[in-house]
Amino acid sequence: MSNTDSEKTVKRICPLCEACCGLQVTIRDHQIIRIRGDDDDVFSHGYICPKGAALKDLHEDPDRLRTPLIKRDGKFVVASWDEAFAEIERRLPAVRNAGGNDAVATVIGNPAAHKIGLLLYFPRLARALGTRNVFSSSTLDQMPKQLSAGLMFGSWLSIPVPDLERSDFMLILGANPMVSNGSLWTVPDFRGKAKAMRLRGGRIVTVDPRRTETAAVSDVHHFIQPGTDVFFLLGMVHTLFAEQLINLGGLAEHVEGLAEVQAAVQAFAPELVAARCRIEAHTIRQLARQLAVAKRGVVYARIGTCTQEFGTQCSWLVDVLNILTGHLDREGGAMFPKACAFAANTVGTPGVGRGVPVGRHHSRVARAPEIMGELPLTCLAEEIEIPGEGQVRALITIASNPVLSAPNGDRLAAALEQLDFMLSIDIYLNETTRHADVILPGLSPLEDVHFDLAFGQFSYRNHARFSDAVLPRQPAHPPEWQILLRLAAIVQGKGALIDIEEADRQLFSAEVHKNCGPHADAVLQLLAGWSGPEKQIDFALRSGPYGDQFGLQPQGINLAKIKAATGGLDLGPLQTRIPEVLRTPSGKIELAPALLIADVARAAQALAAAAPKLVIIGRRQIRSGNSWMHNLPSLAKGPYRCTALIHPFDMDRLGLTDGGLGRITSGIKSIEVQIEMSEEMMPGVVSLPHGWGHDMPDTQMAVAAQRPGANLNALLDEQGRDPLSGNAVLSGIAVDIYPL
Ligand SMILES: Nc1nc2c(c(=O)[nH]1)N[C@H]1C(S)=C(S)[C@@H](COP(=O)(O)OP(=O)(O)OC[C@H]3O[C@@H](n4cnc5c(=O)[nH]c(N)nc54)[C@H](O)[C@@H]3O)O[C@H]1N2
Ligand SMILES: Nc1nc2c(c(=O)[nH]1)N[C@H]1C(S)=C(S)[C@@H](COP(=O)(O)OP(=O)(O)OC[C@H]3O[C@@H](n4cnc5c(=O)[nH]c(N)nc54)[C@H](O)[C@@H]3O)O[C@H]1N2
Ligand code: SF4
Ligand SMILES: [Mo]
């Protein structure tokens, strides 16, 4: 921290996307003067994007909620925290008493992954609720990857990431890290790293239905028919077997199931899949060969390959390719980060485990299997609407806006109106929270401490960083971990007025006793200086893979050391971790999980299907973060962005004009959009960003309402799912467009 008389500059990790950049925030008299990238940050080295700087707008946004709201006679009124908790206590337990545990559902959204208080304390609330109706944005996003990684490597978050800094060949599918700044891959400044790689002679190939910003910094780009990556990937794996390109290298003794994979891909010669994915057979073969001969190569795929009917198969086949070519767990290939704390693959017995259980229960109406303790978010509306035992009658949303972010939000919005009680923990009165009976606001990120619990496992380099609060919070405004503990106490019948610090101490002490046995008291003594999330972080760090083991390893790390280090602690490049990282029952990489091998038959059946004439896909944008950053003036300014990109060929065919209006329809659903002609698009594919549609009544987002945009998800069907993971199908949906 550097100080002048009136100004001081403090460090803060950005919580707005997975890149987790280190920022420098300059403040004077509790006012933010400016926000910049932090050159001293050991992980991001000064990189920043426009969203990071917009934390100032977020902090100052007059629409951001600072006090609880209670709905009285259909209108929200400002309430004190005591009044809000009293209202919840009056209404929530009554629903549970009448309908049982499953009558209360929870939905937790994307920003929660960046809020340590929500991540650490949501499980405490979930345990108190004991409901099976747990939903999250994971089933709009990465659940397929978690499932395939869980089945192959034994834990849900053991997802290998590209070691780009040492790579010389990278194949990217369905990801646009130039804009998204990476996902399931924490990699600030992808542009710089990609550029350095190509200067070293490395090559990047991108496969995407749009010639994206990432394609623009690649050596080669191929269009692919949306939703058909599974066939392309099966064709590549087929080629490796057919052309004897398999080379497991040192992985050979750690892999099980090679023969089953070979048999499963038999029917997918490139010549048979080429027409379906609209990529020529020789290109598929060539890419397989290129990957096989690359000294340090890697395949990386993200959301475009997950939000499909075959999302789990795509996610699996990507790792199969990395393994068969000997690139998994090798420098410059796909490697497993070793997080400094909280990673399931750094606790327990190294190299073996129980694997991941799936389908322990099913959703009541659609019978969709539970994955990772969650049900598909696209099942929520029907679980509210349809009567019967276990019907959802109350809902708690936490940092989530499913009315915009999930398919067919209209149906969900109508269902929310039927609930007996709805509580939202959220910082805006928006499309979803307007349906709540009570809204409890979280803090501005700058008023809160920060630790990247979720992203150490996906980082391009191992590191340990922590941010203190930059600005003080209002004394009456509790941090989110306290909100969740109070809710848990209400649910448990202890009442809202419990002593929070004491309740926290008791829960934490019970956990330490469970984990540390006879040493628990000594450990608790050493942690006595911390409370809340910091106490849990220090415990996880000290007992973690780099930890000081409470004094047994004096060179090891702890929270105090991280706080004292300028720009955090660099823990070095990624290291080889197989077999130690595995937690499978066999102690091997399970290359051919039965669930996935069986599902290949479904792909074989779908191979013959004809592609629709026109399909729609999504598009992320630098100045936008899913559904909730359109109220920040520095991001909202500039040209109108919620446009439908269409190839000139389709424009002509459909009689559309550049800059004109069009109606996109899908079955009986339709939206109006502004058309933008673009040679970037694959003919037959239209691209529209998601997260827009801020024209719904009774919200409080004045800036966003000025240019609401169109809601892509209003076109989509909530019944479109990958049956294995329950993930929503958001890409490659058949549509028609008419000029207006
Ligand atoms: N068609 C289509 N739909 C998609 C996608 C797509 O690619 N295409 N992407 C999907 C993906 S990947 C995701 S992750 C989901 C995201 O969908 P959601 O998980 O619903 O996340 P957001 O839309 O970002 O909404 C975030 C909510 O959190 C609130 N919020 C922000 N910060 C805080 C905070 O600090 N505390 C609290 N308590 N609340 C906060 C915001 O006000 C907002 O209500 O959208 C999905 N929807
Ligand atoms: N600026 C910004 N950054 C973000 C977000 C944001 O909203 N704005 N959201 C954050 C979140 S929650 C997430 S999950 C990540 C996601 O990070 P990424 O996965 O990098 O997400 P996208 O930028 O949507 O890139 C997906 C790409 O898939 C392509 N695509 C669509 N359908 C298909 C298909 O069927 N096959 C193939 N091969 N490609 C297809 C799209 O054209 C697009 O280029 O981004 C995060 N970062
Ligand atoms: S890239 Fe992500 S983490 Fe970095 S400044 Fe932008 S939003 Fe924040
Ligand atoms: Mo996401």
Side-chain angles (χ1 to χ4, degrees):
M1 190 189 291
S2 76
N3 297 319
T4 64
D5 279 352
S6 52
E7 263 185 27
K8 63 176 180 170
T9 298
V10 291
K11 296 181 186 295
R12 177 63 161 78
I13 298 164
C14 177
L16 297 181
C17 91
E18 293 180 45
C20 305
C21 301
L23 307 177
Q24 283 188 5
V25 186
T26 302
I27 47 182
R28 186 194 305 141
D29 304 331
H30 294 178
Q31 299 291 312
I32 302 154
I33 307 299
R34 82 186 78 83
I35 298 180
R36 290 197 175 139
D38 179 12
D39 294 334
D40 297 334
D41 189 281
V42 296
F43 186 66
S44 59
H45 306 288
Y47 181 77
I48 186 172
C49 86
K51 286 191 290 174
L55 276 171
K56 174 174 160 62
D57 285 10
L58 177 61
H59 186 77
E60 293 166 359
D61 188 349
D63 286 336
R64 183 172 59 81
L65 302 179
R66 286 149 172 92
T67 62
L69 300 178
I70 299 179
K71 201 179 268 163
R72 302 250 184 247
D73 303 322
K75 289 259 177 273
F76 280 112
V77 294
V78 169
S80 71
W81 285 90
D82 285 348
E83 285 165 339
F85 282 118
E87 179 76 3
I88 295 163
E89 192 161 7
R90 191 171 71 76
R91 298 183 60 181
L92 184 63
V95 178
R96 288 183 84 234
N97 291 341
N101 290 358
D102 292 339
V104 182
T106 58
V107 185
I108 186 156
N110 173 277
H114 304 265
K115 294 286 270 204
I116 185 75
L118 292 177
L119 270 190
L120 284 177
Y121 287 80
F122 175 69
R124 294 192 176 353
L125 173 61
R127 229 169 289 137
L129 286 167
T131 175
R132 292 174 170 194
N133 283 312
V134 174
F135 304 89
S136 88
S137 52
S138 292
T139 49
L140 307 176
D141 185 349
Q142 80 288 355
M143 198 56 106
K145 192 71 203 181
Q146 286 173 339
L147 177 55
S148 73
L151 294 172
M152 295 176 85
F153 308 119
S155 107
W156 298 113
L157 300 180
S158 285
I159 295 171
V161 303
D163 183 26
L164 181 60
E165 289 191 315
R166 295 180 290 191
S167 206
D168 54 31
F169 177 77
M170 181 167 176
L171 173 61
I172 303 181
L173 286 103
N176 188 11
M178 281 289 289
V179 167
S180 68
N181 284 296
S183 182
L184 296 182
W185 184 23
T186 289
V187 58
D189 193 18
F190 168 81
R191 179 199 292 271
K193 292 178 179 65
K195 192 171 165 194
M197 184 245 206
R198 291 179 67 209
L199 283 174
R200 291 194 308 269
R203 288 171 63 78
I204 301 178
V205 178
T206 299
V207 175
D208 196 300
R210 181 167 77 89
R211 198 177 309 113
T212 58
E213 296 78 356
T214 299
V217 300
S218 302
D219 297 273
V220 181
H221 165 253
H222 299 287
F223 284 131
I224 184 168
Q225 175 69 30
T228 67
D229 298 72
V230 63
F231 307 113
F232 168 78
L233 292 164
L234 284 164
M236 280 195 57
V237 177
H238 175 101
T239 306
L240 294 179
F241 282 107
E243 301 189 6
Q244 275 126 43
L245 296 170
I246 309 285
N247 175 12
L248 296 176
L251 291 175
E253 58 175 308
H254 303 294
V255 172
E256 194 172 86
L258 196 62
E260 287 92 326
V261 173
Q262 180 167 17
V265 302
Q266 198 80 45
F268 297 93
E271 290 68 20
L272 299 177
V273 301
R276 184 75 167 86
C277 44
R278 292 170 69 192
I279 299 185
E280 290 186 27
H282 80 89
T283 304
I284 300 174
R285 287 189 183 275
Q286 216 164 31
L287 284 169
R289 290 174 200 143
Q290 265 179 311
L291 182 69
V293 301
K295 223 167 132 198
R296 298 169 163 210
V298 60
V299 187
Y300 167 70
R302 229 344 333 255
I303 194 163
T305 62
C306 282
T307 48
Q308 313 188 355
E309 229 183 303
F310 295 98
T312 310
Q313 272 198 60
C314 290
S315 300
W316 165 59
L317 291 166
V318 165
D319 286 329
V320 167
L321 282 171
N322 283 323
I323 292 164
L324 295 183
T325 50
H327 295 315
L328 184 83
D329 200 41
R330 289 293 171 271
E331 282 186 18
M335 300 191 80
F336 296 98
K338 188 187 271 187
C340 61
F342 297 112
N345 66 32
T346 60
V347 296
T349 313
V352 68
R354 270 181 295 181
V356 295
V358 298
R360 289 167 297 181
H361 54 263
H362 291 75
S363 73
R364 185 177 58 101
V365 179
R367 307 299 305 157
E370 153 277 337
I371 305 289
M372 242 183 112
E374 292 184 25
L375 296 170
L377 182 49
T378 49
C379 291
L380 176 59
E382 65 194 20
E383 292 296 331
I384 298 172
E385 287 165 2
I386 297 177
E389 206 184 317
Q391 181 185 10
V392 171
R393 298 306 311 150
L395 177 67
I396 305 176
T397 71
I398 302 170
S400 125
N401 189 13
V403 169
L404 281 193
S405 56
N408 200 3
D410 278 355
R411 178 176 177 185
L412 181 61
L416 296 182
E417 282 300 301
Q418 297 171 19
L419 290 167
D420 294 329
F421 182 65
M422 177 169 158
L423 164 66
S424 290
I425 303 177
D426 205 287
I427 56 173
Y428 283 107
L429 172 46
N430 65 14
E431 297 77 12
T432 296
T433 62
R434 74 198 160 117
H435 297 283
D437 298 289
V438 178
I439 308 178
L440 302 176
L443 296 170
S444 155
L446 298 179
E447 297 165 342
D448 207 355
V449 300
H450 184 90
F451 180 83
D452 285 309
L453 185 154
F455 302 108
Q457 292 197 68
F458 309 128
S459 293
Y460 80 96
R461 207 179 155 88
N462 295 314
H463 61 104
R465 298 173 303 153
F466 178 91
S467 304
D468 281 308
V470 171
L471 294 165
R473 63 183 164 92
Q474 292 300 316
H477 194 157
E480 283 162 315
W481 68 270
Q482 294 190 6
I483 297 177
L484 293 176
L485 272 192
R486 240 179 244 294
L487 293 176
I490 289 173
V491 169
Q492 290 163 329
K494 296 176 185 164
L497 300 176
I498 52 151
D499 176 343
I500 282 293
E501 297 285 349
E502 183 51 31
D504 186 44
R505 254 193 302 279
Q506 282 176 13
L507 284 167
F508 181 68
S509 164
E511 277 171 11
V512 173
H513 276 278
K514 202 170 136 205
N515 285 317
C516 302
H519 307 294
D521 286 327
V523 166
L524 285 167
Q525 194 92 53
L526 287 167
L527 298 168
W530 306 112
S531 67
E534 287 175 72
K535 194 186 278 249
Q536 291 193 53
I537 295 167
D538 197 38
F539 177 67
L541 284 169
R542 300 181 80 170
S543 56
Y546 310 89
D548 70 3
Q549 309 304 326
F550 306 98
L552 294 176
Q553 301 280 351
Q555 304 307 316
I557 65 172
N558 57 40
L559 183 54
K561 284 189 190 175
I562 296 174
K563 284 195 185 207
T566 309
L569 293 174
D570 176 37
L571 299 172
L574 304 186
Q575 306 281 344
T576 294
R577 289 194 63 191
I578 284 180
E580 154 275 312
V581 70
L582 300 173
R583 293 294 183 275
T584 49
S586 60
K588 307 263 184 193
I589 297 171
E590 300 191 358
L591 194 67
L595 197 65
L596 285 156
I597 293 289
D599 198 45
V600 175
R602 190 168 61 96
Q605 270 174 6
L607 183 55
K613 260 203 148 137
L614 188 66
V615 297
I616 196 160
I617 63 170
R619 175 166 97 250
R620 283 185 159 69
Q621 298 173 306
I622 286 280
R623 293 176 175 274
S624 180
N626 295 318
S627 76
W628 72 277
M629 291 181 203
H630 302 137
N631 211 51
L632 307 181
S634 66
L635 299 182
K637 71 183 182 197
Y640 182 72
R641 295 191 187 88
C642 187
T643 56
L645 300 185
I646 310 180
H647 191 272
F649 171 81
D650 290 312
M651 302 262 306
D652 271 1
R653 181 170 70 83
L654 298 165
L656 300 166
T657 42
D658 193 17
L661 284 183
R663 176 172 297 283
I664 309 187
T665 65
S666 167
I668 56 164
K669 306 188 188 85
S670 85
I671 54 174
E672 269 180 37
V673 295
Q674 185 175 314
I675 305 291
E676 185 177 343
M677 184 162 82
S678 172
E679 306 250 6
E680 286 170 3
M681 293 310 301
M682 183 179 199
V685 184
V686 47
S687 154
L688 187 72
H690 77 282
W692 295 84
H694 304 292
D695 50 3
M696 297 182 193
D698 306 322
T699 63
Q700 181 184 309
M701 293 194 302
V703 176
Q706 283 168 26
R707 285 203 291 183
N711 178 8
L712 166 61
N713 281 323
L715 283 178
L716 307 190
D717 181 355
E718 78 285 2
Q719 299 298 337
R721 281 191 286 273
D722 164 25
L724 302 192
S725 65
N727 208 83
V729 176
L730 304 172
S731 204
I733 315 291
V735 290
D736 289 307
I737 309 189
Y738 305 94
L740 281 177

